[in-house]
Amino acid sequence: ELRAVGEVMALATKRRTRVLTIRGDYGIGKTRLLVEVERRLRKGGYNVGWQMAACPPRGTELPLSGVVSMIQALCGISDGDSESRVRDVEPRLRALGLHTEEVAATLSVLGAQTGAAPSDVSFVLRNAFVRMISSLAEDRLHLFAWDSAHTMDAESLAILDYAVNKLPAARIVFVLAARA
């Protein structure tokens, strides 16, 4: 399994966006494989970005839950963080190239009260998410992994599909670990 992940990463370094699904029954070791990939990347000192998020247990019922969980991981935010903590990530979002409307939408889904949140958060967040991951993958390979991806909502899957189609020549690997 580790060799297969390495082969997908090698293809992605040639600026070819990849999607890797890890499927298996409950308790088979999907999460353990993700943790081991992260450990080996860190231990080997590879110049590879790694972000891992877990989809919430009832994520299929929550719009944008999969994308929001990854944005939380990217920003170092957890559910229940104070509004001031959430607002502190605004400079990071701007550094990733997000426009004012995208920053407002991102902060609102992270839990900050923004009076300027757009009416179609899903559309704006889709563009913000693509801009974030594109910015991160400009200078090196980046892996974005979702554990429990079988609980990801349809809107988040649509945003991932959009990202794959929008960034076909990026050094990005989307890893989805889900039950069979």
Side-chain angles (χ1 to χ4, degrees):
E1 290 88 4
L2 290 169
R3 184 177 301 128
V5 172
E7 290 169 1
V8 170
M9 289 171 52
L11 289 171
T13 59
K14 297 175 182 158
R15 292 197 168 272
R16 294 173 63 192
T17 300
R18 295 289 180 202
V19 177
L20 173 66
T21 52
I22 301 168
R23 295 182 310 188
D25 294 328
Y26 176 81
I28 199 86
K30 300 175 297 296
T31 303
R32 178 71 187 113
L33 177 61
L34 293 177
V35 169
E36 184 62 19
V37 168
E38 179 183 19
R39 186 188 76 76
R40 288 184 182 215
L41 289 173
R42 245 182 313 135
K43 185 179 177 186
Y46 298 103
N47 188 20
V48 175
W50 172 268
Q51 295 295 329
M52 188 165 115
C55 293
R58 297 181 64 159
T60 55
E61 301 168 8
L62 304 169
L64 302 171
S65 63
V67 169
V68 170
S69 65
M70 183 55 72
I71 291 172
Q72 287 175 330
L74 290 169
C75 295
I77 299 291
S78 301
D79 281 334
D81 279 353
S82 68
E83 185 166 345
S84 64
R85 170 90 171 92
V86 172
R87 288 193 173 283
D88 287 345
V89 302
E90 184 174 349
R92 175 159 171 77
L93 296 174
R94 294 206 183 273
L96 289 171
L98 271 62
H99 303 300
T100 304
E101 186 179 35
E102 294 168 338
V103 170
T106 304
L107 290 175
S108 71
V109 298
L110 291 175
Q113 298 296 324
T114 59
S119 58
D120 189 4
V121 174
S122 180
F123 176 77
V124 175
L125 194 63
R126 177 189 78 178
N127 292 330
F129 181 71
V130 169
R131 193 177 316 279
M132 278 188 248
I133 62 175
S134 174
S135 177
L136 288 169
E138 280 179 359
D139 60 343
R140 64 182 179 153
L141 172 65
H142 249 80
L143 282 81
F144 300 94
W146 282 266
D147 195 15
S148 300
H150 57 277
T151 64
M152 189 180 289
D153 62 290
E155 285 182 72
S156 293
L157 287 171
I159 289 173
L160 289 180
D161 184 53
Y162 176 79
V164 169
N165 291 321
K166 183 80 172 172
L167 304 169
R171 289 179 284 208
I172 294 174
V173 177
F174 295 111
V175 183
L176 304 168
R179 291 190 188 156

